[in-house]
Amino acid sequence: MEYSRVSSKVKATPSGATTPLAVLFDAYGTLFDVYSVGSLAEQLFPGKGQALAVMWRDKQIEYTRLVSTSNDGAHYQPFWDLTRAALRYACRRLGLNLLAEFESQLMNQYRHLSAFPEDREVLRALKDRGIATGILSNGDPAMLDVAVKSAGLEGLLDHVISTHVIRKYKTHPEAYALGEKACGCTASKIAFVSSNSWDALAATWYGYRTLWVNRQGLPFEELGTQPTRTGSSLHDVLDFFA
Amino acid sequence: MEYSRVSSKVKATPSGATTPLAVLFDAYGTLFDVYSVGSLAEQLFPGKGQALAVMWRDKQIEYTRLVSTSNDGAHYQPFWDLTRAALRYACRRLGLNLLAEFESQLMNQYRHLSAFPEDREVLRALKDRGIATGILSNGDPAMLDVAVKSAGLEGLLDHVISTHVIRKYKTHPEAYALGEKACGCTASKIAFVSSNSWDALAATWYGYRTLWVNRQGLPFEELGTQPTRTGSSLHDVLDFFA
């Protein structure tokens, strides 16, 4: 296989940086399309599917932050439970009647999110080059297990790391530390890939070399730090090894 | 003065709870109307003022969380700077051309947010009953100073507490601890008032007795914890002392 595709959006590697030894991927939004629940949501709530998908996702992220910050994890809940709580909040906020069967259907859909089309190809390209690969995700282990298997990614990942073990979520530094531990090297030797700008930002702060996969053409965060690279699909991670 | 107004939405006090010794108020959204920038925003960006005010506020809150969580405050920025960063992000995201003069005008407006009409009356009623009063806010000291003076609240507040001193924002437990320290008693003897559901939630987790002022008729967070009370204006705090 040839992977010569180079996005014009990709920024130059800082001079002197060495080739990463491993690549870790965020899962939700990066390998798996969190907005792929939108079409089911639209069937269940005509005219509101998009709004529900967006608010559900935003609230899910907010809940990971609230439980991570407060009282050192005393109010931790697994990602699956936060995902359900966020769905319930979003429906109440939007005035949608979330029948029990609708909740079941939407949660089941969330368990089987669509993978992005390039996932397998990019992971295989990394494996072919002898690069260690993994997931570093807020998803709990059961969710990640189903998602990885559904997408047929099992044989292509050396590490599937869930933050569940520390009862805190990204962007807590302890969450990013799990990636170093699994890979057996410092973050500066690991490329971290995320479609979530907050995740790419905080991973950069932590010390990873980062690729922000900006699929939607959004602005990056305005906090004075840029990711190492910006691209438009997972393919752009291969530029770390060009 | 008589304060007999009791909202039908107010929930019963847990039996056995003693009367609070002090009342701490959140500032932004609770004493000061963060959406009062909307009309200026609408003048500057016709048809987009409301969307800008909402996204600006949401991003500002998100940024407080990101800098609080990452690397133990190493990426801390004062609330004023985060407010400006959030404005810039929101404009880019909405495709609005934020001219330097527009930024100045909007930031200046943010420094002089409208106070809610009942602020003074409720603070005075608490003072008349001998209750200690204060602000516990993410705002930096200079912002709070101007806001308090603009609203004519100086003489009615015993404490104006900014989280700036710890370089972390609410909902970090260290932020809520500042209230206990200022008041000289445990959170269980302090009523904490916020219009922000996440703030009322985390203060409840921390141990405060809480009033969520739900001005907009929103659902509360779906994380399994309820505030001590829910009301529709600051007047409802007086029910702690009925």
Side-chain angles (χ1 to χ4, degrees), chain A residues 124-200:
Chain A
R124 185 163 299 285
L126 290 169
K127 297 308 300 168
D128 288 348
R129 294 172 195 215
I131 309 297
T133 59
I135 287 175
L136 173 53
S137 169
N138 281 340
D140 54 62
M143 290 177 78
L144 291 175
D145 189 53
V146 172
V148 166
K149 283 181 182 155
S150 297
L153 305 181
E154 309 102 298
L156 298 170
L157 293 162
D158 299 294
H159 311 287
V160 178
I161 310 160
S162 165
T163 59
H164 179 69
V165 65
I166 57 166
R167 296 174 65 85
K168 295 186 187 81
Y169 293 101
K170 294 184 285 184
T171 59
H172 198 290
E174 287 178 36
Y176 292 112
L178 294 173
E180 293 182 302
K181 191 176 172 192
C183 295
C185 61
T186 63
S188 64
K189 295 181 178 168
I190 304 171
F192 180 81
V193 180
S194 184
S195 292
N196 298 296
S197 53
W198 50 269
D199 192 18

Side-chain angles (χ1 to χ4, degrees), chain B residues 80 106-113 140 142-143 146-147 150:
Chain B
W80 182 251
L106 286 163
M107 289 299 290
N108 190 51
Q109 185 89 350
Y110 206 96
R111 207 182 267 291
H112 300 90
L113 293 173
D140 54 62
M143 290 177 78
V146 172
S150 297

Side-chain angles (χ1 to χ4, degrees), chain B residues 15-189:
Chain B
S15 60
T18 56
T19 303
L21 302 176
V23 178
L24 295 177
F25 294 84
D26 169 58
Y28 294 98
T30 302
L31 294 175
F32 309 116
D33 184 357
V34 288
Y35 298 115
S36 63
V37 294
S39 54
L40 174 60
E42 182 64 27
Q43 283 175 42
L44 300 176
F45 304 111
K48 299 288 184 70
Q50 167 75 0
L52 176 57
V54 170
M55 188 174 288
W56 185 4
R57 171 63 173 165
D58 286 351
K59 203 71 189 174
Q60 177 199 48
I61 296 168
E62 182 178 12
Y63 281 172
T64 64
R65 294 173 181 164
L66 288 178
V67 301
S68 293
T69 305
S70 295
N71 297 359
D72 199 31
H75 301 285
Y76 177 79
Q77 296 183 35
F79 198 62
W80 182 251
D81 297 345
L82 294 186
T83 300
R84 187 189 300 278
L87 173 60
R88 290 176 177 175
Y89 179 92
C91 285
R92 287 181 64 198
R93 177 74 179 263
L94 294 171
L96 305 175
N97 183 16
L98 183 65
L99 302 174
E101 65 189 87
F102 288 4
E103 181 176 299
S104 292
Q105 287 179 60
L106 286 163
M107 289 299 290
N108 190 51
Q109 185 89 350
Y110 206 96
R111 207 182 267 291
H112 300 90
L113 293 173
S114 302
F116 286 105
E118 75 271 25
D119 286 3
R120 284 181 57 83
E121 192 176 73
V122 171
L123 286 169
R124 185 164 299 285
L126 291 169
K127 297 308 298 169
D128 287 348
R129 294 172 196 215
I131 309 298
T133 58
I135 287 175
L136 173 54
S137 169
N138 280 341
D140 54 62
M143 290 177 78
L144 291 175
D145 189 53
V146 172
V148 166
K149 284 181 180 155
S150 297
L153 304 182
E154 309 102 298
L156 298 170
L157 292 162
D158 299 294
H159 310 287
V160 178
I161 310 160
S162 166
T163 59
H164 178 69
V165 65
I166 56 166
R167 297 174 65 86
K168 295 187 187 81
Y169 293 101
K170 294 184 286 183
T171 59
H172 198 289
E174 287 179 37
Y176 292 112
L178 294 172
E180 293 182 302
K181 192 175 171 193
C183 294
C185 61
T186 62
S188 64
K189 295 181 177 167

